[in-house]
């Protein structure tokens, strides 16, 4: 039995401790906002926040996260998350959308720690989240706009 906090709720999970979090979320809990891309920690599609830090659910086992707090896109909450999701919509960031749960969570983590990120800081923080639709410019613009609103 693995005990953890998932989207602000305490959960006790019976899955094997070596099972990747990605498949627990998607197949057992129905939280399909977390996507499967590469399965090798290379694309960022499966990004979740673990204790607020962007992490790859495809390479994280349940045993790795015992006692920790996990946030998926379904559970993103609070002022920073609201502003990020608002600016994402305003600037029409997504194209196909496949990578965007991970992008949004990475942006929330960045803006929680750095309220005025430079282009370089954005590139550093988001470089592990790939986008096949090449929405990088709109992502950067949306992070800047979210920073402007958060700093106002
Ligand atoms: S599916 Fe996890 S990083 Fe690509
Ligand atoms: S919006 Fe299509 S992969 Fe990023």
């Amino acid at each position: 039995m693995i005990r953890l906090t998932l989207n602000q709720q305490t959960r006790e999970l019976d899955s094997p401790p070596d099972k990747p979090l990605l498949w627990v979320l998607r197949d057992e809990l129905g939280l399909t906002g977390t996507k499967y891309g590469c399965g090798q920690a290379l694309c960022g599609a499966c990004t979740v926040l673990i204790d607020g830090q962007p992490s790859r659910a495809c390479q994280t086992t349940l045993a790795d996260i015992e006692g920790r707090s996990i946030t998926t896109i379904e559970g993103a909450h609070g002022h920073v998350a609201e502003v990020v999701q608002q600016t994402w919509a305003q600037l029409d960031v997504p194209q196909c959308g496949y990578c965007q749960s991970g992008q949004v969570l990475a942006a929330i983590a960045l803006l929680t720690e750095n309220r005025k990120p430079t282009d370089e800081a954005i590139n550093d923080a988001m470089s592990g989240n790939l986008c096949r639709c090449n929405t990088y410019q709109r992502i950067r613009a949306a992070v800047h706009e979210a920073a402007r609103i958060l700093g106002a």
Side-chain angles (χ1 to χ4, degrees), residues 2-5 11 51 62-70:
I2 304 284
R3 194 180 166 93
L4 50 80
T5 302
R11 305 292 292 255
D51 294 335
L62 275 188
D64 292 332
I65 52 172
E66 177 142 36
R68 302 182 72 180
S69 178
I70 316 304

Side-chain angles (χ1 to χ4, degrees), residues 36-145:
Y36 171 66
C38 64
Q40 298 179 332
L42 297 172
C43 75
C46 66
T47 300
V48 298
L49 301 182
I50 300 178
D51 294 335
Q53 296 302 312
S55 307
R56 307 295 180 239
C58 68
Q59 293 291 313
T60 301
T61 66
L62 275 188
D64 292 332
I65 52 172
E66 177 142 36
R68 302 182 72 180
S69 178
I70 316 304
T71 304
T72 69
I73 192 67
E74 292 88 348
H77 68 291
H79 186 47
V80 174
E82 284 169 17
V83 170
V84 167
Q85 292 181 74
Q86 174 193 325
T87 57
W88 242 247
Q90 267 172 5
L91 274 67
D92 258 337
V93 174
Q95 196 160 318
C96 81
Y98 200 81
C99 70
Q100 296 291 328
S101 308
Q103 306 282 5
V104 165
L105 289 171
I108 291 169
L110 168 63
L111 286 163
T112 299
E113 290 188 355
N114 180 354
R115 288 292 167 99
K116 211 167 178 211
T118 59
D119 279 348
E120 191 181 10
I122 295 170
N123 291 346
D124 278 354
M126 312 283 294
S127 63
N129 289 80
L130 305 185
C131 176
R132 288 172 301 181
C133 303
N134 204 18
T135 62
Y136 300 113
Q137 286 194 349
R138 293 204 297 276
I139 288 170
R140 204 178 302 130
V143 172
H144 281 307
E145 176 61 7

Side-chain angles (χ1 to χ4, degrees), residues 20-31:
L21 173 62
L22 175 62
W23 302 119
V24 176
L25 293 172
R26 289 185 59 83
D27 293 349
E28 295 182 24
L29 302 175
L31 296 171

